[in-house]
Structures are given as structure tokens and as C-alpha cells.
Amino acid sequence: MSDPANSGQRDWARVALDKIGDAVVTTDEQGGVTYMNPAAERLAGQNLDTVRGCPFHDLFPLLSADDRQPLRLDPLRAGSHPALLDGAGGERRLDVTVEPCAEGARDCSGAVLVLRDVTGTERALRESERSEERRVGKECRSR
């Protein structure tokens, strides 16, 4: 028999995940997508109903931000990775966090992945640095 309290908590958790601005994706132990919040659907350009069970790596073909090589994330290994995603809206810079999920006695029943789009933040930081360099350059020339 299902526990109504647990059902209510799951519903509340789903509503909360749907409101988060970062893309949240869950996978099964083989890496197949089991859930995407609306931010993840926008980033993927697909909705969950059409991609459920598809491999995460096919849906989000990430590249390493360091060497632009394909980034293969292991759902059994927690970590944070700088990544690039070339999507319909152009290249996006992402911080990807992987957290394995254990269920009962099983070592891993899948993973939660959070993809934070840092494209705008990095662009603003680079512009701020260029602006500061121009300001310092003008001060040096006026001396």
C-alpha cells in the first residue's frame, strides 16, 4: 500500500525541481534519462516524454571545457566538471555536477546531474576584466 505522506513529498519535490533555474536530470544506472525539469528540457530542446530512457550523453553531447574533447560522465562517480554544450542557441558554458544515488542495498540506482549555465556569468566577467584593462591602460598613458 502506498504511503500518502511519501506521495505528497514526492509531488512537492517534483514541484520544487520544476521551479529551479538550473537544469536537473536524473538517470538510471545505465545512464538513461528518467527525469528532466523544465530548465533541462529547454537546454536539451526536447521534452521528457520524447526522450525518457535515452542515454544522457546522446541528449547532452558535452565537451570538456579544457580540451573540447567529448566529456563522458560516470554516474557512479561524484564530481563537478566544466563543460561546453553546442545547442540550437549556440555554444553554452556549463558547470555540471554529478551525484550518484543509492537506493536501499544497491550501490547505485542512477544519478542526479545538475547543469548550471554559466555562459552569461563568464561573459560578464570577461567584459569586466577587459573594461578594467582599458581603464588601467588609460591611466598609465595619462601619466
Side-chain angles (χ1 to χ4, degrees):
M1 179 177 249
S2 76
D3 179 356
N6 285 342
S7 176
Q9 287 175 336
R10 278 192 301 273
D11 290 343
W12 186 89
R14 180 68 41 103
V15 168
L17 287 172
D18 286 352
K19 300 298 181 189
I20 293 174
D22 293 336
V24 178
V25 179
T26 61
T27 68
D28 58 25
E29 56 270 19
Q30 286 84 36
V33 172
T34 57
Y35 170 78
M36 295 191 312
N37 71 348
E41 290 179 329
R42 285 190 299 278
L43 192 60
Q46 307 256 358
N47 73 29
L48 177 60
D49 293 334
T50 61
V51 300
R52 188 177 316 231
C54 291
F56 174 84
H57 294 304
D58 290 351
L59 192 56
F60 295 96
L62 300 174
L63 300 175
S64 168
D66 298 327
D67 60 13
R68 301 185 75 82
Q69 295 301 307
L71 181 61
R72 301 295 285 184
L73 302 172
D74 182 353
L76 299 175
R77 182 176 248 166
S80 185
H81 312 273
L84 302 172
L85 177 66
D86 195 8
E91 185 174 87
R92 312 301 300 169
R93 297 188 65 80
L94 306 173
D95 281 338
V96 181
T97 302
V98 179
E99 193 60 48
C101 295
E103 202 172 340
R106 294 168 59 183
D107 288 337
C108 180
S109 58
V112 175
L113 298 100
V114 178
L115 297 89
R116 172 169 284 159
D117 188 340
V118 295
T119 306
T121 304
E122 288 195 3
R123 187 179 303 128
L125 180 61
R126 284 192 305 274
E127 181 55 36
S128 175
E129 289 170 348
R130 283 193 295 267
S131 179
E132 180 65 12
E133 288 170 359
R134 287 191 297 267
R135 185 188 66 74
V136 169
K138 284 181 182 178
E139 286 178 3
C140 289
R141 286 191 299 273
S142 66
R143 289 183 187 181

